[in-house]
Amino acid sequence: MTASKFMAIQQALQPDWFQCLSDGEASCEEATSIKRARKSVDRSLLFLDNCLRLQEESEVLRKSTIIGVIEGGDVMEERLRSARETAKRPVGGFLLDGFQGNPTTLETRLYLLSSVTAELPEDKPRLICGVSRPDEVLECIERGVDLFESFFPYQVTERGCALTFSFDYQPNPEETLSQQNGTQEEIKYADQTKKIKTTSCNQEITSFEINLKEKKYQEDFDPLVRGCSCYCCKNHTRAYIHHLLVTNELLAGVLLMMHNFEHYFGFFHSIREALRSDRLAQLKELIRRQAS
Amino acid sequence: MAAAVSPTSVESAPRIMKLVAECSRSRARAGELRLPHGPVATPVFMPVGTQATMKGITAEQLDALGCRICLGNTYHLGLRPGPELIQKAHGLHGFMNWPHNLLTDSGGFQMVSLVSLSEVTEEGVRFRSPYDGDESLLSPEKSVEIQNALGSDIIMQLDDVVSSTVTGPRVEEAMYRSIRWLDRCIAAHQRPDKQNLFAIIQGGLDEDLRATCLEEMTKRDVPGFAIGGLSGGESKGQFWRMVALSTSRLPKDKPRYLMGVGYATDLVVCVALGCDMFDCVFPTRTARFGSALVPTGNLQLKKKQYEKDFRPIDPECACPTCQKHSRAFLHALLHSDNTAALHHLTVHNIAYQLRLMSAVRASIVEKRFPDFVQDFMGTMYGDPTLCPAWATEALASLSHSVYLTGSREWEPLTPDSSKRIETPRE
């Protein structure tokens, strides 16, 4: 894959935005050598400059926006260099690569993340890849990230689970209680939480979700989440989803995906509201209480 | 009509079928079924949603396609999730949230399809569960009990089903037993006012046995009759003769349900022979293999020739799949690791079947059914005279061989070999 091959593909796809070709190998290793990190930054900048030049030469490509990729592994110096240099180029936004992993590794990189975003212009969007869990999302938002991938609801669906975590940070105890539909009790007393071990699709069930395959849902005629306005919750019950999962029916995934997306997008809606009304801390506390 | 001969007195069965039009040159009829969950126009094709779901399609999608009746399966649902749970969920309608009609099969067919796991006695069918090895007895009473709990609008008697390839005394035994089981089902039925119990005519491929079964079962006052024991491995020649025999002896004012028939040609011919209702897993199953049904046959969308074909499956089709997606897109999806294509194709294939039935019905109502058949065969086989021999025979039996020509000039039935088409056109 060369810059010209890459740009030829973009020319065919005609995306609105596209992530520039970059060297992210520094992020795949446990411990990055400074040399390797430096190389990843140098190469990525070279790719970026080549792609920008090719973009100039193409009328079709000029309609798309290039997103610059910040590399540098775990080496602060290289990260800052990558950020500053990329920011000098006429990109439409920035993608922070190499922060994917499990929550513990993210924690150690949060300081790195703040430092990187501090170098980036305020008026351009910041994307991050590999981060999608509700608690991780909030940590990144606090440190200046704007866009996330939504593979988390997809993974939840694939394991036959439904998102039920609350994102209603408004202090109305009665409403909160009924909306959570007993989930709070489940989280407090049930032993559902497990440490995340891998970053693959086989991630363990989190405390943000319920496992519809469990026998206890066999006769549960409530919707997945009371008050949810998705197609699944408006039309079907936990008992029905349980049946579909047990009988390996295709519809299980269809209905769960509809719910999980709606729930997840609802979460982001509440994030935006919380930011507007300066209540992010409350939302963060609510999510933190529900995290494993 | 003779009164019911079962020991318990049965109220006169409701007349659920209203005839709207009849073809004067065949036995085709257009009608309307009056069922507890709304009217259903006939002839009708009923998609099969075995386990309380239509294979990846939502109830809303199915409703939007115009489906007003579909099937559930007593054997499967009786095992998982079981009748008690479904009853708690307000019946099968409540459990799957389907607002229109449901027909449940009795579990009889599983006797054939799961023959290695079942044993038939006068008592009923003993099944060994494939899930936990548990044994269960499905008797006529038990089957009706489960179906009463499911609450479907049409329920089927438990019949003693033998494969159509079986010959000898077993066929006769099964036929007589089915009559006895019908009486037991009628006696056990707790909700005749809410659920319509249909009899199922058996007798295999034996004319005399069929005739006997017809004579006996039509003495019972049930709201409708199904023609069973066909659509197995029998030859098409035998198949159509048994269908024709059955419809000739079934009352005109009650619906005739031909079980297990779903290929387009079969549907059209069997409507001509006087059938009103059909079910088959074919359209939904074939969708999951990447096959799309079209008036000229089917498209195997996995094949390379569709890689860059940007037309919809059928430009005349109004289904969401044809409105939004191209063959090329579906081809790409079929070669990816997600199941999206299967959903799109299932939607289309159901739409195809329903549209076909709709067109058939309109032609009967507008008194041009023979011309419709002519056009249908022409489109499907390249020329009306090139339709399969059994279909020609079946249609010819109805109206002395001028049938196929409709209102057109008679053509000799010796096909020009240069016009012969080996595979369906696209």
Side-chain angles (χ1 to χ4, degrees):
Chain A
M1 180 63 65
T2 60
S4 29
K5 271 193 194 154
F6 178 76
M7 292 304 271
I9 294 171
Q10 301 305 334
Q11 173 126 341
L13 293 175
Q14 295 175 43
D16 298 284
W17 289 9
F18 65 95
Q19 172 184 341
C20 191
L21 190 61
S22 71
D23 176 358
E25 213 182 305
S27 319
C28 294
E29 270 122 62
E30 283 291 327
T32 343
S33 71
I34 297 178
K35 217 172 157 185
R36 188 65 190 83
R38 187 171 299 144
K39 237 190 191 144
S40 77
V41 175
D42 288 337
R43 277 207 191 115
S44 302
L45 287 168
L46 190 62
F47 283 140
L48 179 57
D49 289 335
N50 283 336
C51 291
L52 283 166
R53 184 180 40 79
L54 287 162
Q55 187 188 36
E56 269 297 297
E57 295 164 14
S58 159
E59 207 180 298
V60 171
L61 282 170
R62 257 178 274 152
K63 297 193 187 119
S64 305
T65 300
I66 292 189
I67 304 294
V69 184
I70 314 291
E71 296 290 355
D74 289 329
V75 180
M76 178 64 84
E77 199 187 304
E78 289 305 314
R79 280 283 179 185
L80 293 176
R81 185 168 74 92
S82 180
R84 286 170 194 146
E85 286 301 314
T86 309
K88 288 179 187 167
R89 275 73 171 167
V91 292
F94 305 92
L95 183 114
L96 304 155
D97 192 18
F99 288 90
Q100 51 268 54
N102 55 58
T104 31
T105 59
L106 181 65
E107 233 175 271
T108 56
R109 289 176 175 145
L110 288 176
Y111 183 63
L112 206 58
L113 184 60
S114 313
S115 310
V116 167
T117 55
E119 302 293 328
L120 300 174
E122 283 288 305
D123 61 348
K124 287 185 181 171
R126 301 87 175 268
L127 300 79
I128 197 164
C129 55
V131 176
S132 194
R133 266 173 57 120
D135 47 346
E136 299 176 349
V137 159
L138 287 174
E139 298 284 7
C140 293
I141 286 173
E142 280 188 314
R143 288 162 181 80
V145 180
D146 307 299
L147 283 96
F148 300 81
E149 297 168 305
S150 50
F151 59 81
F152 179 67
Y154 171 72
Q155 288 173 332
V156 171
T157 302
E158 288 290 283
R159 48 180 180 251
C161 295
L163 291 175
T164 52
F165 70 94
S166 171
F167 43 82
D168 184 12
Y169 60 91
Q170 306 280 20
N172 182 341
E174 279 166 40
E175 228 179 71
T176 318
L177 254 146
S178 71
Q179 264 179 25
Q180 280 166 9
N181 196 26
T183 318
Q184 279 289 59
E185 281 67 40
E186 284 173 21
I187 290 162
K188 274 187 204 155
Y189 303 112
D191 186 31
Q192 284 192 45
T193 64
K194 286 172 188 163
K195 286 277 181 206
I196 307 288
K197 287 187 179 95
T198 67
T199 58
S200 71
C201 231
N202 298 320
Q203 290 207 358
E204 309 260 10
I205 295 171
T206 68
S207 51
F208 299 112
E209 59 204 82
I210 54 173
N211 181 4
L212 270 308
K213 288 186 196 155
E214 287 180 23
K215 223 173 153 66
K216 66 176 161 183
Y217 296 114
Q218 203 176 47
E219 290 195 22
D220 188 340
F221 295 111
D222 277 336
L224 293 174
V225 171
R226 213 178 277 159
C228 175
S229 55
C230 82
Y231 176 83
C232 181
C233 290
K234 287 208 294 220
N235 289 287
H236 295 295
T237 60
R238 295 169 168 199
Y240 185 58
I241 306 292
H242 173 86
H243 164 74
L244 294 175
L245 284 166
V246 160
T247 53
N248 277 313
E249 284 287 344
L250 282 173
L251 189 61
V254 172
L255 294 176
L256 281 175
M257 193 75 263
M258 287 204 250
H259 168 77
N260 287 337
F261 269 143
E262 179 121 353
H263 196 89
Y264 195 67
F265 297 152
F267 168 55
F268 274 81
H269 179 83
S270 78
I271 295 175
R272 292 190 294 274
E273 289 237 319
L275 285 166
R276 271 193 284 269
S277 56
D278 199 22
R279 298 267 202 88
L280 191 69
Q282 263 143 300
L283 178 56
K284 198 179 169 196
E285 175 56 25
L286 176 62
I287 298 299
R288 192 198 60 77
R289 272 192 285 132
Q290 296 174 87
S292 59
Chain B
M1 179 136 316
V5 294
S6 68
T8 47
S9 74
V10 165
E11 283 181 1
S12 186
R15 291 292 183 269
I16 62 171
M17 175 83 160
K18 177 184 153 206
L19 284 177
V20 165
E22 287 177 80
C23 173
S24 58
R25 305 184 60 194
S26 71
R27 297 186 197 164
R29 315 106 65 74
E32 194 179 83
L33 290 173
R34 271 93 168 252
L35 294 170
H37 282 83
V40 175
T42 64
V44 63
F45 177 79
M46 305 179 285
V48 181
T50 310
Q51 301 195 98
T53 163
M54 190 59 61
K55 300 298 176 202
I57 303 305
T58 64
E60 190 180 77
Q61 284 176 297
L62 197 54
D63 167 274
L65 288 171
C67 178
R68 293 294 173 263
I69 181 169
C70 62
L71 259 70
N73 187 279
T74 298
Y75 170 77
H76 289 289
L77 293 171
L79 286 175
R80 302 185 303 188
E84 296 83 15
L85 180 76
I86 291 187
Q87 206 156 27
K88 282 188 194 161
H90 307 296
L92 190 53
H93 288 89
F95 186 59
M96 54 188 287
N97 199 19
W98 175 243
H100 304 300
N101 296 291
L102 285 166
L103 184 153
T104 44
D105 184 17
S106 58
F109 180 68
Q110 275 65 45
M111 289 158 61
V112 175
S113 62
L114 300 173
V115 70
S116 59
L117 293 172
S118 66
E119 195 208 329
V120 185
T121 62
E122 186 62 24
E123 217 190 344
V125 193
R126 199 165 291 279
F127 285 106
R128 201 169 16 93
S129 164
Y131 310 117
D132 51 19
D134 272 4
E135 276 203 5
S136 58
L137 176 71
L138 188 66
S139 62
E141 291 76 15
K142 186 74 186 162
S143 176
V144 170
E145 188 191 311
I146 297 174
Q147 293 184 80
N148 282 155
L150 297 178
S152 33
D153 304 90
I154 298 176
I155 68 176
M156 305 304 296
Q157 71 155 111
L158 182 67
D159 48 343
D160 187 356
V161 190
V162 291
S163 162
S164 52
T165 53
V166 169
T167 53
R170 177 77 184 100
V171 184
E172 182 170 350
E173 177 193 55
M175 184 274 284
Y176 280 111
R177 181 172 290 145
S178 296
I179 300 171
R180 294 191 293 275
W181 281 6
L182 171 59
D183 288 337
R184 282 167 63 180
C185 286
I186 293 171
H189 189 16
Q190 295 292 312
R191 308 173 78 222
D193 53 329
K194 290 246 154 62
Q195 298 179 270
N196 296 288
L197 172 63
F198 277 24
I200 306 179
I201 311 292
Q202 293 293 341
L205 303 174
D206 185 308
E207 260 187 47
D208 294 325
L209 292 177
R210 279 256 163 208
T212 305
C213 199
L214 282 156
E215 191 182 328
E216 281 306 311
M217 285 192 174
T218 50
K219 288 179 187 164
R220 277 73 173 164
D221 199 10
V222 287
F225 296 91
I227 302 165
L230 298 174
S231 222
E234 76 276 3
S235 77
K236 274 302 205 289
Q238 295 167 305
F239 163 75
W240 81 256
R241 283 179 174 82
M242 288 299 108
V243 174
L245 171 62
S246 304
T247 56
S248 70
R249 312 269 173 107
L250 286 171
K252 272 198 158 187
D253 60 348
K254 291 183 177 177
R256 297 90 170 263
Y257 165 25
L258 181 55
M259 306 183 84
V261 168
Y263 293 133
T265 302
D266 300 3
L267 292 171
V268 171
V269 173
C270 292
V271 166
L273 293 176
C275 298
D276 309 301
M277 303 163 65
F278 307 87
D279 82 284
C280 193
V281 295
F282 168 68
T284 40
R285 184 171 290 168
T286 207
R288 298 197 296 285
F289 290 109
S291 175
L293 299 176
V294 289
T296 49
N298 64 77
L299 311 180
Q300 299 297 329
L301 290 172
K302 278 189 187 167
K303 289 192 171 168
K304 206 163 165 65
Q305 66 193 108
Y306 298 109
E307 208 183 25
K308 296 181 185 171
D309 187 341
F310 293 104
R311 296 173 288 174
I313 293 169
D314 181 355
E316 307 283 305
C317 182
C319 86
T321 303
C322 291
Q323 292 300 297
K324 288 189 212 157
H325 301 300
S326 66
R327 300 169 180 195
F329 178 64
L330 294 166
H331 171 90
L333 279 182
L334 284 166
H335 288 279
S336 73
D337 62 358
N338 79 69
T339 61
L342 311 184
H343 301 269
H344 292 311
L345 289 177
T346 301
V347 164
H348 168 78
N349 284 357
I350 292 176
Y352 170 81
Q353 299 285 110
L354 298 182
R355 197 170 109 236
L356 175 63
M357 287 290 104
S358 223
V360 165
R361 184 178 200 269
S363 76
I364 299 169
V365 168
E366 291 162 24
K367 303 208 183 306
R368 50 177 179 81
F369 179 63
D371 282 346
F372 175 87
V373 176
Q374 181 94 336
D375 287 338
F376 171 84
M377 295 298 181
T379 307
M380 184 65 79
Y381 299 101
D383 191 273
T385 56
L386 293 176
C387 79
W390 76 269
T392 310
E393 271 176 25
L395 294 168
S397 78
L398 292 165
S399 191
H400 312 293
S401 75
V402 295
Y403 187 86
L404 260 187
T405 63
S407 49
R408 292 167 210 172
E409 201 61 54
W410 166 246
E411 276 176 12
L413 271 178
T414 47
D416 178 348
S417 57
S418 66
K419 284 204 280 177
R420 188 176 291 284
I421 294 166
E422 294 299 331
T423 55
R425 283 182 317 173
E426 289 145 18

